[in-house]
Amino acid sequence: MSLVLTFFFFFLHTVCLASVLQAAVKVSPLIEKVSDHKDLKKLLRTRSNVLVLYTKSATSGDSKFKLLSDVAQVVKGQGTIAWVNCGDSEGRKLCKKVKVDPSSKSGGAELLHYKDGTFHTEYNRPATYKSMVAFLKDPTGAPLWEENPEAKDIVHVETEKVILRASAMSSVISPTGCGVCKRMQPVFQQAATETKGKFVLAGMNVHPAEFDGLKQEYNVKGYPTFCYFEKGKFRHHYENYGGTAKDITDWMKNPQPPQPKVPEVQWSETDSPVFHLTDDSFDGFLAEHPSVLIMFYAPWCGHCKKMKPEYEEASPGVLAAVDTTIHKAVGDRFKISGFPTVKYFEKGEDKFTLPHLRSKDKIIEYLQNPQAPPPPEQSWEDKPSGVSHLGMEDFREVLKKKKHALVMFYAPWCPHCKNAVPHFTTAADLFKEDRKIAYVAVDCTKGQNQELCKQESVEGYPTFNYYNYGKFAEKYNGDRGEAGFIGFMRSLRGRDQGKRKEEL
């Protein structure tokens, strides 16, 4: 009898323990439980934006379930959150197949994001409600400003009420991703740290449509906009967009409204050897002069201002100029998209565009012997080498087949990129026979490549990323000479050989 009772209590204890464990891991129905590889493939095939929590056991994700449930509620219809328990038999097979090992991570959990059916990135932003929601609403967007540790002294506000509670505040109002905002953020951060306890410097993203009324009230027409508040009232704007942290701190000691802007000085036509043409006079002038050099310009353009005196002193030849901010028909006709643009006309025909003519000597030399400009230098992509030049359409497909890939994201005009090109090419040529290794280049200025570079978190040029079978592994911050690029790849191959020896 005692043996029967003992077994009964043991059974009861086991059932109760199982019930407690099941209750402990009960998660929101908004978080999809995935048990096997087929389920995962189906989920990724039918959903384009999926964040998956992999845990080493049923309970190791407890601390994240409540947060993920709240996030899932907000992003419903835009993103999906799923859970894989790598501790049970089916989950263990799935995790092994997708090469995920949450036991090696802090807390025994790992968050991976999948976009359009394939792995996109490891979620390594703060595990907060705001950051996760922002990420799932825009997985390829830049991190929130408040995620930057250097912005700890900025008061990050979300509503107008917080601004109006401050007694004195200079606020940068900007969306994430704005070029000028990115340049000014470190300056603003430094000023906030230097004036901590004296002044309040805050940041607010008013790009969403819900803040249209606020933008209208404070005359926010572009980003960034700096607004100064005192005793809860808006006073005026701060407009020194090229300033330093010291400029901001000095200004905060004695805030003054912006000075009236000095109007642009128009290019005087008096006593000038340059003929100033208009939409109406353009064709008639060309008919009267068999050969003309014409400078298309904008009054505010810095390069135009620099070139004006050089252009006026150049002779012999007929020189003319067109302000295309006023005479837009001519500008549109010749597809003028940058300033200054210099063109040579012969018998009324647009013969040559001459980007190399900027100085007096070059202009004089050209007018003495007008001819076609030298052909542009052959692009890196057109030169045969061991470097694979990829774009949005083939980037992920190619990298998936390479065990080790070092990718250089670049812009053709970037001086640091130009310096790195020959060294990167030499390293690529050395390994071009190795099918597991790739040296890849992506021109971030070309078409859809801009979106690709944004997805890969490229914020400056050149950026070097290392990928392992298409999965981002780390940033390369080593030497940018051929020794650095070659040494990095050799170290990876040495690591592979060491692993093979251990297995043997």
Side-chain angles (χ1 to χ4, degrees), residues 135-153:
F135 174 79
L136 281 169
K137 286 189 174 182
D138 184 11
T140 61
L144 300 174
W145 192 8
E146 50 263 52
E147 293 177 22
N148 184 347
E150 294 181 5
K152 64 183 186 305
D153 295 320

Side-chain angles (χ1 to χ4, degrees), residues 85-243:
N85 174 16
C86 297
D88 62 31
S89 58
E90 288 299 317
R92 194 176 301 114
K93 292 177 186 176
L94 166 58
C95 294
K96 188 175 181 180
K97 193 149 192 171
V98 296
K99 298 178 181 177
V100 174
D101 181 16
S103 63
S104 64
K105 300 292 181 179
S106 174
E110 183 173 9
L111 279 165
L112 300 183
H113 182 259
Y114 298 82
K115 185 175 183 292
D116 299 325
T118 60
F119 171 77
H120 170 229
T121 186
E122 179 180 353
Y123 181 85
N124 52 17
R125 288 167 60 170
T128 64
Y129 172 81
K130 189 176 179 183
S131 290
M132 284 188 164
V133 168
F135 174 79
L136 281 169
K137 286 189 174 182
D138 184 11
T140 61
L144 300 174
W145 192 8
E146 50 263 52
E147 293 177 22
N148 184 347
E150 294 181 5
K152 64 183 186 305
D153 295 320
I154 300 287
V155 177
H156 298 279
V157 299
E158 297 181 39
T159 68
E160 184 182 11
K161 292 179 181 178
V162 179
I163 291 179
L164 301 180
R165 278 205 305 267
S167 58
M169 177 179 292
S170 177
S171 172
V172 57
I173 300 183
S174 61
T176 303
C178 145
V180 182
C181 304
K182 286 181 179 178
R183 189 174 73 240
M184 288 301 294
Q185 281 175 356
V187 173
F188 201 68
Q189 288 163 191
Q190 184 183 345
T193 299
E194 292 176 359
T195 61
K196 188 176 181 180
K198 299 177 184 177
F199 308 111
V200 178
L201 272 71
M204 183 178 183
N205 178 8
V206 297
H207 190 54
E210 64 190 274
F211 297 114
D212 284 351
L214 184 147
K215 285 180 277 192
Q216 186 174 359
E217 183 179 355
Y218 300 131
N219 197 28
V220 179
K221 295 180 178 178
Y223 305 111
T225 294
F226 294 84
C227 299
Y228 175 70
F229 295 84
E230 191 172 275
K231 296 180 180 178
K233 292 183 179 180
F234 169 70
R235 296 300 183 188
H236 42 72
H237 291 109
Y238 172 82
E239 296 186 349
N240 186 1
Y241 297 107

